[in-house]
Each structure stands twice: as C-alpha cells, then as structure tokens.
Amino acid sequence: MDDQSFLARRLDRAAAPLAIGDVLVLMAFLTAGTLSHRPAEFLVNNPTYLLGVWAPFLIGWFLVSPLVGAYAAGAAETAKSSVPLVVRSWIPAAAIGFVLRAFVFRGGVAPTFVAVILVTGAVALGAWRALYFRIR
C-alpha cells in the first residue's frame, strides 16, 4: 500500500522550476493586462494595486494546480505532458480567480475580460512550459 498522501503524489521536486515559472508568468501577463488599462504612473503611485490584481488568480492557481497535477512527476518530464496539465489547471484556477475578483477583491468580471484572461493565460502558461522544455 502506498503511504503517500494524494497531495504528496501531486507534488514532485523536479517540477519546482515549473512552479516558479508559472507564478512569474501569471504575474507578468496580469501586469501586462493591467498596463493596457492603467498607465505605469498609476502603478507607481499605487504600489499595492497589482497585489489586488494578482491575488485572486494566484489563490486560484495555488488551490487548483496541485490537484490537477501541474506539478506531478509527469509534468516535469516532457512538454507533451506538461503543457496540457498547465492548461487544464488554468481553466478552473481562473474560474476561482473570477469569483474571488467579483466578490472579494472588488474587480470587474465582464464576459470579454473572462474570455481574454482564459485564452491569454492558457497561451502564456503553455508557451512558457513549451519554451522551458525546449531550452532545458
């Protein structure tokens, strides 16, 4: 009988670089989106603003990605296994982020925003992971 917990089986040390990169990519693409609506000067004058932008989606990411297997042993082996896992993790993580944004972080959740975040996040995370396996 396997004594490892479900979560322990879903987290592999070899996937640590993927986890760090995923978080940085999420923060970067959310920042880029914010900059398309707010001037950089606004962010300089409101240094905590981005925390409210990042938080709902990062909370969703930290809750969902290990459960889906984004950091399981298979995720750290090849792009062919890793990219689908990160995309499958992003969809429910973003859904949690939208709910948190709407009800906790006081942000908008317009249908266009939802579509852009879902697609852009999936593309950004998938591209990052594909690039990681290409250059490692």
PDB file of all heavy atoms in Angstrom, residues 103-135:
ATOM      1  N   PHE A 103     -16.232  39.020  -5.895  1.00  0.00           N
ATOM      2  CA  PHE A 103     -16.862  39.103  -4.584  1.00  0.00           C
ATOM      3  C   PHE A 103     -15.939  39.499  -3.439  1.00  0.00           C
ATOM      4  O   PHE A 103     -16.411  39.913  -2.394  1.00  0.00           O
ATOM      5  CB  PHE A 103     -17.552  37.781  -4.247  1.00  0.00           C
ATOM      6  CG  PHE A 103     -18.679  37.473  -5.183  1.00  0.00           C
ATOM      7  CD1 PHE A 103     -18.543  36.491  -6.152  1.00  0.00           C
ATOM      8  CD2 PHE A 103     -19.866  38.190  -5.129  1.00  0.00           C
ATOM      9  CE1 PHE A 103     -19.576  36.213  -7.023  1.00  0.00           C
ATOM     10  CE2 PHE A 103     -20.902  37.917  -6.003  1.00  0.00           C
ATOM     11  CZ  PHE A 103     -20.756  36.930  -6.959  1.00  0.00           C
ATOM     12  N   VAL A 104     -14.641  39.365  -3.626  1.00  0.00           N
ATOM     13  CA  VAL A 104     -13.713  39.667  -2.536  1.00  0.00           C
ATOM     14  C   VAL A 104     -12.811  40.854  -2.881  1.00  0.00           C
ATOM     15  O   VAL A 104     -12.600  41.739  -2.056  1.00  0.00           O
ATOM     16  CB  VAL A 104     -12.847  38.433  -2.180  1.00  0.00           C
ATOM     17  CG1 VAL A 104     -11.856  38.757  -1.081  1.00  0.00           C
ATOM     18  CG2 VAL A 104     -13.746  37.259  -1.776  1.00  0.00           C
ATOM     19  N   PHE A 105     -12.289  40.879  -4.102  1.00  0.00           N
ATOM     20  CA  PHE A 105     -11.303  41.891  -4.482  1.00  0.00           C
ATOM     21  C   PHE A 105     -11.898  43.068  -5.252  1.00  0.00           C
ATOM     22  O   PHE A 105     -11.177  43.909  -5.745  1.00  0.00           O
ATOM     23  CB  PHE A 105     -10.164  41.243  -5.277  1.00  0.00           C
ATOM     24  CG  PHE A 105      -9.329  40.333  -4.439  1.00  0.00           C
ATOM     25  CD1 PHE A 105      -9.624  38.980  -4.339  1.00  0.00           C
ATOM     26  CD2 PHE A 105      -8.259  40.824  -3.719  1.00  0.00           C
ATOM     27  CE1 PHE A 105      -8.858  38.139  -3.549  1.00  0.00           C
ATOM     28  CE2 PHE A 105      -7.495  39.996  -2.929  1.00  0.00           C
ATOM     29  CZ  PHE A 105      -7.789  38.654  -2.834  1.00  0.00           C
ATOM     30  N   ARG A 106     -13.178  43.112  -5.386  1.00  0.00           N
ATOM     31  CA  ARG A 106     -13.902  44.229  -5.998  1.00  0.00           C
ATOM     32  C   ARG A 106     -13.394  44.587  -7.392  1.00  0.00           C
ATOM     33  O   ARG A 106     -13.156  45.743  -7.702  1.00  0.00           O
ATOM     34  CB  ARG A 106     -13.884  45.453  -5.094  1.00  0.00           C
ATOM     35  CG  ARG A 106     -14.619  45.218  -3.794  1.00  0.00           C
ATOM     36  CD  ARG A 106     -14.522  46.398  -2.896  1.00  0.00           C
ATOM     37  NE  ARG A 106     -13.133  46.531  -2.455  1.00  0.00           N
ATOM     38  CZ  ARG A 106     -12.554  47.678  -2.133  1.00  0.00           C
ATOM     39  NH1 ARG A 106     -13.217  48.772  -2.187  1.00  0.00           N
ATOM     40  NH2 ARG A 106     -11.297  47.717  -1.746  1.00  0.00           N
ATOM     41  N   GLY A 107     -13.248  43.620  -8.230  1.00  0.00           N
ATOM     42  CA  GLY A 107     -12.854  43.867  -9.616  1.00  0.00           C
ATOM     43  C   GLY A 107     -13.968  43.429 -10.546  1.00  0.00           C
ATOM     44  O   GLY A 107     -14.863  42.685 -10.158  1.00  0.00           O
ATOM     45  N   GLY A 108     -13.920  43.890 -11.763  1.00  0.00           N
ATOM     46  CA  GLY A 108     -14.934  43.522 -12.731  1.00  0.00           C
ATOM     47  C   GLY A 108     -14.699  42.138 -13.312  1.00  0.00           C
ATOM     48  O   GLY A 108     -13.582  41.620 -13.311  1.00  0.00           O
ATOM     49  N   VAL A 109     -15.774  41.538 -13.783  1.00  0.00           N
ATOM     50  CA  VAL A 109     -15.698  40.223 -14.404  1.00  0.00           C
ATOM     51  C   VAL A 109     -16.601  40.225 -15.645  1.00  0.00           C
ATOM     52  O   VAL A 109     -17.495  39.409 -15.788  1.00  0.00           O
ATOM     53  CB  VAL A 109     -16.101  39.102 -13.409  1.00  0.00           C
ATOM     54  CG1 VAL A 109     -15.855  37.730 -14.013  1.00  0.00           C
ATOM     55  CG2 VAL A 109     -15.342  39.222 -12.102  1.00  0.00           C
ATOM     56  N   ALA A 110     -16.346  41.151 -16.529  1.00  0.00           N
ATOM     57  CA  ALA A 110     -17.115  41.239 -17.769  1.00  0.00           C
ATOM     58  C   ALA A 110     -16.805  40.027 -18.647  1.00  0.00           C
ATOM     59  O   ALA A 110     -15.697  39.475 -18.589  1.00  0.00           O
ATOM     60  CB  ALA A 110     -16.753  42.526 -18.505  1.00  0.00           C
ATOM     61  N   PRO A 111     -17.766  39.595 -19.472  1.00  0.00           N
ATOM     62  CA  PRO A 111     -17.537  38.424 -20.339  1.00  0.00           C
ATOM     63  C   PRO A 111     -16.285  38.545 -21.211  1.00  0.00           C
ATOM     64  O   PRO A 111     -15.563  37.567 -21.393  1.00  0.00           O
ATOM     65  CB  PRO A 111     -18.806  38.350 -21.197  1.00  0.00           C
ATOM     66  CG  PRO A 111     -19.855  39.003 -20.344  1.00  0.00           C
ATOM     67  CD  PRO A 111     -19.132  40.092 -19.582  1.00  0.00           C
ATOM     68  N   THR A 112     -16.023  39.731 -21.732  1.00  0.00           N
ATOM     69  CA  THR A 112     -14.824  39.917 -22.552  1.00  0.00           C
ATOM     70  C   THR A 112     -13.568  39.700 -21.722  1.00  0.00           C
ATOM     71  O   THR A 112     -12.618  39.054 -22.178  1.00  0.00           O
ATOM     72  CB  THR A 112     -14.812  41.333 -23.169  1.00  0.00           C
ATOM     73  OG1 THR A 112     -16.011  41.508 -23.914  1.00  0.00           O
ATOM     74  CG2 THR A 112     -13.614  41.535 -24.066  1.00  0.00           C
ATOM     75  N   PHE A 113     -13.554  40.210 -20.506  1.00  0.00           N
ATOM     76  CA  PHE A 113     -12.428  40.024 -19.591  1.00  0.00           C
ATOM     77  C   PHE A 113     -12.206  38.535 -19.328  1.00  0.00           C
ATOM     78  O   PHE A 113     -11.071  38.053 -19.365  1.00  0.00           O
ATOM     79  CB  PHE A 113     -12.687  40.782 -18.285  1.00  0.00           C
ATOM     80  CG  PHE A 113     -11.668  40.531 -17.220  1.00  0.00           C
ATOM     81  CD1 PHE A 113     -10.399  41.066 -17.308  1.00  0.00           C
ATOM     82  CD2 PHE A 113     -11.980  39.768 -16.106  1.00  0.00           C
ATOM     83  CE1 PHE A 113      -9.445  40.850 -16.323  1.00  0.00           C
ATOM     84  CE2 PHE A 113     -11.043  39.543 -15.107  1.00  0.00           C
ATOM     85  CZ  PHE A 113      -9.783  40.082 -15.220  1.00  0.00           C
ATOM     86  N   VAL A 114     -13.289  37.823 -19.068  1.00  0.00           N
ATOM     87  CA  VAL A 114     -13.192  36.385 -18.801  1.00  0.00           C
ATOM     88  C   VAL A 114     -12.554  35.672 -19.991  1.00  0.00           C
ATOM     89  O   VAL A 114     -11.618  34.883 -19.833  1.00  0.00           O
ATOM     90  CB  VAL A 114     -14.575  35.782 -18.470  1.00  0.00           C
ATOM     91  CG1 VAL A 114     -14.521  34.261 -18.429  1.00  0.00           C
ATOM     92  CG2 VAL A 114     -15.093  36.347 -17.148  1.00  0.00           C
ATOM     93  N   ALA A 115     -13.044  35.961 -21.188  1.00  0.00           N
ATOM     94  CA  ALA A 115     -12.501  35.306 -22.391  1.00  0.00           C
ATOM     95  C   ALA A 115     -11.030  35.636 -22.586  1.00  0.00           C
ATOM     96  O   ALA A 115     -10.214  34.738 -22.869  1.00  0.00           O
ATOM     97  CB  ALA A 115     -13.314  35.721 -23.619  1.00  0.00           C
ATOM     98  N   VAL A 116     -10.670  36.905 -22.429  1.00  0.00           N
ATOM     99  CA  VAL A 116      -9.275  37.315 -22.629  1.00  0.00           C
ATOM    100  C   VAL A 116      -8.359  36.647 -21.601  1.00  0.00           C
ATOM    101  O   VAL A 116      -7.292  36.127 -21.948  1.00  0.00           O
ATOM    102  CB  VAL A 116      -9.142  38.854 -22.587  1.00  0.00           C
ATOM    103  CG1 VAL A 116      -7.688  39.288 -22.491  1.00  0.00           C
ATOM    104  CG2 VAL A 116      -9.807  39.470 -23.806  1.00  0.00           C
ATOM    105  N   ILE A 117      -8.764  36.641 -20.352  1.00  0.00           N
ATOM    106  CA  ILE A 117      -7.933  36.044 -19.303  1.00  0.00           C
ATOM    107  C   ILE A 117      -7.792  34.536 -19.511  1.00  0.00           C
ATOM    108  O   ILE A 117      -6.699  33.978 -19.364  1.00  0.00           O
ATOM    109  CB  ILE A 117      -8.517  36.353 -17.902  1.00  0.00           C
ATOM    110  CG1 ILE A 117      -8.349  37.825 -17.579  1.00  0.00           C
ATOM    111  CG2 ILE A 117      -7.871  35.491 -16.830  1.00  0.00           C
ATOM    112  CD1 ILE A 117      -6.923  38.289 -17.404  1.00  0.00           C
ATOM    113  N   LEU A 118      -8.880  33.863 -19.836  1.00  0.00           N
ATOM    114  CA  LEU A 118      -8.803  32.410 -20.054  1.00  0.00           C
ATOM    115  C   LEU A 118      -7.849  32.069 -21.193  1.00  0.00           C
ATOM    116  O   LEU A 118      -6.967  31.226 -21.053  1.00  0.00           O
ATOM    117  CB  LEU A 118     -10.188  31.832 -20.326  1.00  0.00           C
ATOM    118  CG  LEU A 118     -11.113  31.693 -19.128  1.00  0.00           C
ATOM    119  CD1 LEU A 118     -12.508  31.277 -19.582  1.00  0.00           C
ATOM    120  CD2 LEU A 118     -10.557  30.705 -18.120  1.00  0.00           C
ATOM    121  N   VAL A 119      -8.028  32.740 -22.326  1.00  0.00           N
ATOM    122  CA  VAL A 119      -7.204  32.430 -23.502  1.00  0.00           C
ATOM    123  C   VAL A 119      -5.762  32.887 -23.297  1.00  0.00           C
ATOM    124  O   VAL A 119      -4.819  32.122 -23.528  1.00  0.00           O
ATOM    125  CB  VAL A 119      -7.814  33.059 -24.779  1.00  0.00           C
ATOM    126  CG1 VAL A 119      -6.874  32.927 -25.962  1.00  0.00           C
ATOM    127  CG2 VAL A 119      -9.156  32.414 -25.084  1.00  0.00           C
ATOM    128  N   THR A 120      -5.581  34.129 -22.857  1.00  0.00           N
ATOM    129  CA  THR A 120      -4.230  34.654 -22.691  1.00  0.00           C
ATOM    130  C   THR A 120      -3.457  33.866 -21.637  1.00  0.00           C
ATOM    131  O   THR A 120      -2.282  33.558 -21.830  1.00  0.00           O
ATOM    132  CB  THR A 120      -4.267  36.148 -22.304  1.00  0.00           C
ATOM    133  OG1 THR A 120      -5.043  36.843 -23.273  1.00  0.00           O
ATOM    134  CG2 THR A 120      -2.875  36.738 -22.262  1.00  0.00           C
ATOM    135  N   GLY A 121      -4.100  33.543 -20.542  1.00  0.00           N
ATOM    136  CA  GLY A 121      -3.437  32.760 -19.500  1.00  0.00           C
ATOM    137  C   GLY A 121      -3.031  31.386 -19.994  1.00  0.00           C
ATOM    138  O   GLY A 121      -1.917  30.926 -19.744  1.00  0.00           O
ATOM    139  N   ALA A 122      -3.926  30.716 -20.699  1.00  0.00           N
ATOM    140  CA  ALA A 122      -3.614  29.387 -21.228  1.00  0.00           C
ATOM    141  C   ALA A 122      -2.458  29.441 -22.225  1.00  0.00           C
ATOM    142  O   ALA A 122      -1.538  28.617 -22.179  1.00  0.00           O
ATOM    143  CB  ALA A 122      -4.857  28.772 -21.878  1.00  0.00           C
ATOM    144  N   VAL A 123      -2.489  30.436 -23.106  1.00  0.00           N
ATOM    145  CA  VAL A 123      -1.412  30.578 -24.099  1.00  0.00           C
ATOM    146  C   VAL A 123      -0.096  30.921 -23.414  1.00  0.00           C
ATOM    147  O   VAL A 123       0.951  30.335 -23.717  1.00  0.00           O
ATOM    148  CB  VAL A 123      -1.782  31.635 -25.164  1.00  0.00           C
ATOM    149  CG1 VAL A 123      -0.587  31.991 -26.030  1.00  0.00           C
ATOM    150  CG2 VAL A 123      -2.937  31.132 -26.021  1.00  0.00           C
ATOM    151  N   ALA A 124      -0.121  31.857 -22.472  1.00  0.00           N
ATOM    152  CA  ALA A 124       1.112  32.271 -21.785  1.00  0.00           C
ATOM    153  C   ALA A 124       1.714  31.116 -20.998  1.00  0.00           C
ATOM    154  O   ALA A 124       2.927  30.854 -21.087  1.00  0.00           O
ATOM    155  CB  ALA A 124       0.829  33.456 -20.855  1.00  0.00           C
ATOM    156  N   LEU A 125       0.896  30.411 -20.249  1.00  0.00           N
ATOM    157  CA  LEU A 125       1.412  29.282 -19.458  1.00  0.00           C
ATOM    158  C   LEU A 125       1.897  28.146 -20.360  1.00  0.00           C
ATOM    159  O   LEU A 125       2.953  27.558 -20.118  1.00  0.00           O
ATOM    160  CB  LEU A 125       0.339  28.780 -18.491  1.00  0.00           C
ATOM    161  CG  LEU A 125       0.045  29.708 -17.317  1.00  0.00           C
ATOM    162  CD1 LEU A 125      -1.268  29.319 -16.641  1.00  0.00           C
ATOM    163  CD2 LEU A 125       1.188  29.684 -16.307  1.00  0.00           C
ATOM    164  N   GLY A 126       1.118  27.833 -21.390  1.00  0.00           N
ATOM    165  CA  GLY A 126       1.528  26.769 -22.317  1.00  0.00           C
ATOM    166  C   GLY A 126       2.810  27.121 -23.056  1.00  0.00           C
ATOM    167  O   GLY A 126       3.707  26.280 -23.206  1.00  0.00           O
ATOM    168  N   ALA A 127       2.920  28.367 -23.505  1.00  0.00           N
ATOM    169  CA  ALA A 127       4.130  28.798 -24.225  1.00  0.00           C
ATOM    170  C   ALA A 127       5.342  28.768 -23.303  1.00  0.00           C
ATOM    171  O   ALA A 127       6.426  28.328 -23.714  1.00  0.00           O
ATOM    172  CB  ALA A 127       3.922  30.198 -24.794  1.00  0.00           C
ATOM    173  N   TRP A 128       5.172  29.223 -22.070  1.00  0.00           N
ATOM    174  CA  TRP A 128       6.283  29.210 -21.115  1.00  0.00           C
ATOM    175  C   TRP A 128       6.774  27.779 -20.900  1.00  0.00           C
ATOM    176  O   TRP A 128       7.963  27.507 -20.933  1.00  0.00           O
ATOM    177  CB  TRP A 128       5.869  29.859 -19.789  1.00  0.00           C
ATOM    178  CG  TRP A 128       6.322  29.127 -18.565  1.00  0.00           C
ATOM    179  CD1 TRP A 128       5.531  28.482 -17.668  1.00  0.00           C
ATOM    180  CD2 TRP A 128       7.670  28.933 -18.094  1.00  0.00           C
ATOM    181  NE1 TRP A 128       6.300  27.894 -16.686  1.00  0.00           N
ATOM    182  CE2 TRP A 128       7.624  28.162 -16.923  1.00  0.00           C
ATOM    183  CE3 TRP A 128       8.912  29.320 -18.567  1.00  0.00           C
ATOM    184  CZ2 TRP A 128       8.753  27.782 -16.207  1.00  0.00           C
ATOM    185  CZ3 TRP A 128      10.046  28.940 -17.846  1.00  0.00           C
ATOM    186  CH2 TRP A 128       9.957  28.184 -16.683  1.00  0.00           C
ATOM    187  N   ARG A 129       5.844  26.861 -20.699  1.00  0.00           N
ATOM    188  CA  ARG A 129       6.264  25.482 -20.452  1.00  0.00           C
ATOM    189  C   ARG A 129       6.903  24.859 -21.694  1.00  0.00           C
ATOM    190  O   ARG A 129       7.882  24.125 -21.583  1.00  0.00           O
ATOM    191  CB  ARG A 129       5.082  24.651 -19.965  1.00  0.00           C
ATOM    192  CG  ARG A 129       4.708  25.014 -18.532  1.00  0.00           C
ATOM    193  CD  ARG A 129       4.272  23.830 -17.796  1.00  0.00           C
ATOM    194  NE  ARG A 129       3.994  24.135 -16.400  1.00  0.00           N
ATOM    195  CZ  ARG A 129       3.524  23.247 -15.565  1.00  0.00           C
ATOM    196  NH1 ARG A 129       3.264  22.011 -15.974  1.00  0.00           N
ATOM    197  NH2 ARG A 129       3.306  23.555 -14.313  1.00  0.00           N
ATOM    198  N   ALA A 130       6.374  25.126 -22.858  1.00  0.00           N
ATOM    199  CA  ALA A 130       6.973  24.610 -24.088  1.00  0.00           C
ATOM    200  C   ALA A 130       8.390  25.155 -24.239  1.00  0.00           C
ATOM    201  O   ALA A 130       9.324  24.403 -24.580  1.00  0.00           O
ATOM    202  CB  ALA A 130       6.119  24.978 -25.292  1.00  0.00           C
ATOM    203  N   LEU A 131       8.573  26.437 -23.966  1.00  0.00           N
ATOM    204  CA  LEU A 131       9.900  27.045 -24.034  1.00  0.00           C
ATOM    205  C   LEU A 131      10.841  26.430 -23.000  1.00  0.00           C
ATOM    206  O   LEU A 131      12.001  26.144 -23.305  1.00  0.00           O
ATOM    207  CB  LEU A 131       9.790  28.554 -23.824  1.00  0.00           C
ATOM    208  CG  LEU A 131      11.105  29.333 -23.841  1.00  0.00           C
ATOM    209  CD1 LEU A 131      11.760  29.228 -25.218  1.00  0.00           C
ATOM    210  CD2 LEU A 131      10.862  30.792 -23.481  1.00  0.00           C
ATOM    211  N   TYR A 132      10.354  26.200 -21.809  1.00  0.00           N
ATOM    212  CA  TYR A 132      11.164  25.593 -20.745  1.00  0.00           C
ATOM    213  C   TYR A 132      11.740  24.253 -21.214  1.00  0.00           C
ATOM    214  O   TYR A 132      12.936  23.993 -21.058  1.00  0.00           O
ATOM    215  CB  TYR A 132      10.319  25.397 -19.479  1.00  0.00           C
ATOM    216  CG  TYR A 132      11.012  24.588 -18.419  1.00  0.00           C
ATOM    217  CD1 TYR A 132      11.954  25.179 -17.583  1.00  0.00           C
ATOM    218  CD2 TYR A 132      10.744  23.236 -18.256  1.00  0.00           C
ATOM    219  CE1 TYR A 132      12.604  24.449 -16.604  1.00  0.00           C
ATOM    220  CE2 TYR A 132      11.394  22.498 -17.285  1.00  0.00           C
ATOM    221  CZ  TYR A 132      12.321  23.100 -16.456  1.00  0.00           C
ATOM    222  OH  TYR A 132      12.973  22.367 -15.507  1.00  0.00           O
ATOM    223  N   PHE A 133      10.909  23.407 -21.792  1.00  0.00           N
ATOM    224  CA  PHE A 133      11.383  22.086 -22.217  1.00  0.00           C
ATOM    225  C   PHE A 133      12.271  22.175 -23.449  1.00  0.00           C
ATOM    226  O   PHE A 133      13.122  21.317 -23.653  1.00  0.00           O
ATOM    227  CB  PHE A 133      10.216  21.136 -22.432  1.00  0.00           C
ATOM    228  CG  PHE A 133       9.625  20.663 -21.135  1.00  0.00           C
ATOM    229  CD1 PHE A 133       8.470  21.238 -20.636  1.00  0.00           C
ATOM    230  CD2 PHE A 133      10.256  19.686 -20.391  1.00  0.00           C
ATOM    231  CE1 PHE A 133       7.951  20.823 -19.419  1.00  0.00           C
ATOM    232  CE2 PHE A 133       9.746  19.268 -19.177  1.00  0.00           C
ATOM    233  CZ  PHE A 133       8.590  19.838 -18.690  1.00  0.00           C
ATOM    234  N   ARG A 134      12.105  23.187 -24.218  1.00  0.00           N
ATOM    235  CA  ARG A 134      12.957  23.371 -25.408  1.00  0.00           C
ATOM    236  C   ARG A 134      14.377  23.789 -25.016  1.00  0.00           C
ATOM    237  O   ARG A 134      15.338  23.360 -25.646  1.00  0.00           O
ATOM    238  CB  ARG A 134      12.329  24.406 -26.321  1.00  0.00           C
ATOM    239  CG  ARG A 134      13.008  24.524 -27.642  1.00  0.00           C
ATOM    240  CD  ARG A 134      12.179  25.412 -28.565  1.00  0.00           C
ATOM    241  NE  ARG A 134      12.703  25.378 -29.886  1.00  0.00           N
ATOM    242  CZ  ARG A 134      12.270  24.588 -30.855  1.00  0.00           C
ATOM    243  NH1 ARG A 134      11.258  23.786 -30.636  1.00  0.00           N
ATOM    244  NH2 ARG A 134      12.815  24.614 -32.047  1.00  0.00           N
ATOM    245  N   ILE A 135      14.513  24.640 -23.984  1.00  0.00           N
ATOM    246  CA  ILE A 135      15.830  25.156 -23.642  1.00  0.00           C
ATOM    247  C   ILE A 135      16.508  24.428 -22.473  1.00  0.00           C
ATOM    248  O   ILE A 135      17.684  24.634 -22.237  1.00  0.00           O
ATOM    249  CB  ILE A 135      15.779  26.660 -23.318  1.00  0.00           C
ATOM    250  CG1 ILE A 135      14.903  26.949 -22.114  1.00  0.00           C
ATOM    251  CG2 ILE A 135      15.342  27.449 -24.519  1.00  0.00           C
ATOM    252  CD1 ILE A 135      14.899  28.391 -21.667  1.00  0.00           C
TER     253      ILE A 135
END
